[in-house]
Amino acid sequence: MRVRSTVIGGSVLVCLLMPVVTACGDTNNITQHAGRDGKVCVDNAACQEGAAESPASETPDASSPSDTEPATEPGSGSSAGGGTEDQASSAAPGPARSGGTPGAAVSDVRLRYLTDVGPIGGYGNNEGKGPSRLGDSVLPQSIEFAPGVFATEVKSLSFNVPSGLTRFQATVGLDQNTLPDYEAHLGIRRRDGTTLADLTLKSGETYPVSEDLGGTNLITIDVEIVHWAKDAINSRPHVVVGNGRFVK
């Protein structure tokens, strides 16, 4: 009898020293506690004391709204105005026209100056843009053709015609700095080579141009000095295409 008691007492002592490892019972019935204290419940014990320790850690009920959540989510379409932000911005009026009514921005599609379009390949050989004077008129959107020093030829310039514009208009002539003896020829032709304008220019005279483009999408301006002044070494003629423009 004494031997049996010693064996039983030893088993109890081992159980008390190692409660976590062996659980002192059937290891298949151990349930790990979900709380922070890491307790081990034996034989499916409920471990109710853990739930009472931290009630604040429970997950809020998804059906009840949170105090920190906004009333509506961004982009949900629910707003005080009854529409989304994108819808409101698309309904906003455009820039006001000159009459004061909202609408789309006014386009310059009905008129484009040669100086805005620019020549194919750029300017060169003393051709350039800027204000020019013909007679008593200052023409701010002008192209000026002039031969260089010791040169006799003037570079031709070609321009693409903006889509939808059907006429070419300009005021042409020799500027006030050109000596009276000079005489020049100015020709404007379409892409296919047909003549749009053919003018002989003399000092002190201006010539209006208003021609139908005839469906072409490119024009070329040719300038030739046909009569030189006696003092051509010290002076250069200046042929002006004043306010040249494509219109509808």
Side-chain angles (χ1 to χ4, degrees), residues 125-169:
N125 295 341
N126 292 336
E127 294 84 359
K129 65 177 182 177
S132 295
R133 181 184 291 274
L134 288 178
D136 296 330
S137 301
V138 176
L139 307 171
Q141 304 290 339
S142 297
I143 294 176
E144 195 170 279
F145 297 76
V149 178
F150 304 118
T152 58
E153 296 181 355
V154 181
K155 177 185 174 183
S156 300
L157 297 180
S158 297
F159 300 84
N160 288 315
V161 178
S163 177
L165 304 186
T166 59
R167 295 189 70 82
F168 177 73
Q169 297 176 345

Side-chain angles (χ1 to χ4, degrees), residues 14-27:
V14 172
C15 179
L16 293 175
L17 293 177
M18 301 178 64
V20 176
V21 177
T22 62
C24 301
D26 186 0
T27 56

Side-chain angles (χ1 to χ4, degrees), residues 7-227:
V7 174
I8 295 174
S11 299
V12 172
L13 178 61
V14 172
C15 179
L16 293 175
L17 293 177
M18 301 178 64
V20 176
V21 177
T22 62
C24 301
D26 186 0
T27 56
N28 293 328
N29 293 327
I30 298 175
T31 302
Q32 179 68 40
H33 187 264
R36 298 179 184 177
D37 53 7
K39 293 181 180 180
V40 178
C41 302
V42 181
D43 296 330
N44 292 323
C47 298
Q48 295 297 325
E49 69 278 9
E53 291 175 359
S54 56
S57 62
E58 296 182 359
T59 303
D61 187 2
S63 62
S64 60
S66 171
D67 293 339
T68 59
E69 293 180 356
T72 57
E73 296 181 0
S76 64
S78 299
S79 63
T84 65
E85 182 178 353
D86 292 340
Q87 291 172 339
S89 62
S90 64
R97 299 177 187 269
S98 58
T101 57
V106 178
S107 172
D108 64 347
V109 70
R110 301 186 67 86
L111 184 150
R112 292 293 302 276
Y113 287 103
L114 293 181
T115 52
D116 294 331
V117 175
I120 298 173
Y123 300 96
N125 295 341
N126 292 336
E127 294 84 359
K129 65 177 182 177
S132 295
R133 181 184 291 274
L134 288 178
D136 296 330
S137 301
V138 176
L139 307 171
Q141 304 290 339
S142 297
I143 294 176
E144 195 170 279
F145 297 76
V149 178
F150 304 118
T152 58
E153 296 181 355
V154 181
K155 177 185 174 183
S156 300
L157 297 180
S158 297
F159 300 84
N160 288 315
V161 178
S163 177
L165 304 186
T166 59
R167 295 189 70 82
F168 177 73
Q169 297 176 345
T171 301
V172 301
L174 298 172
D175 74 353
Q176 79 279 4
N177 295 323
T178 301
L179 295 178
D181 294 340
Y182 280 105
E183 187 175 305
H185 174 264
L186 184 142
I188 305 175
R189 51 189 169 88
R190 301 178 180 90
R191 179 185 287 275
D192 60 5
T194 57
T195 300
L196 190 66
D198 188 6
L199 300 167
T200 298
L201 311 179
K202 295 182 179 181
S203 294
E205 299 179 356
T206 59
Y207 307 84
V209 175
S210 182
E211 299 291 340
D212 183 9
L213 294 172
T216 188
N217 60 0
L218 180 141
I219 66 168
T220 299
I221 301 176
D222 302 308
V223 172
E224 181 185 3
I225 308 303
V226 296
H227 192 277

